[in-house]
Amino acid sequence: MAKNKDSKTVNRTGLFEMDKMTVTAEDKNGIYIFDLKSLLQDFDGNNISITVASDFEPSHQVEE
């Protein structure tokens, strides 16, 4: 990102569904479904940086 500029960050954590392009999150207050295409629309025409992170089971384990 460029220096001396304001930045906007969007963070959604939950179950990603590629076919629907949604992230579904659940907490004590209910279930929330976020449309990624709508979230990204605010950035249309701008330079952006995208980071995706996920916890996953390792593909192999080395015995200790």
Side-chain angles (χ1 to χ4, degrees):
M1 292 279 162
K3 292 183 179 182
N4 298 318
K5 297 225 176 185
D6 293 335
S7 64
K8 178 178 179 179
T9 302
V10 175
N11 179 17
R12 298 295 182 265
T13 302
L15 177 64
F16 174 58
E17 294 183 57
M18 178 70 176
D19 292 338
K20 296 179 182 178
M21 288 301 291
T22 60
V23 173
T24 303
E26 184 174 1
D27 67 14
K28 64 182 178 179
N29 297 316
I31 297 174
Y32 305 92
I33 300 173
F34 302 100
D35 180 1
L36 290 180
K37 189 172 180 180
S38 293
L39 290 170
L40 293 173
Q41 206 164 19
D42 290 342
F43 298 95
D44 189 29
N46 293 295
N47 288 318
I48 64 168
S49 170
I50 294 178
T51 301
V52 177
S54 175
D55 292 335
F56 60 93
E57 295 296 322
S59 58
H60 64 277
Q61 271 186 305
V62 177
E63 291 185 33
E64 293 184 21

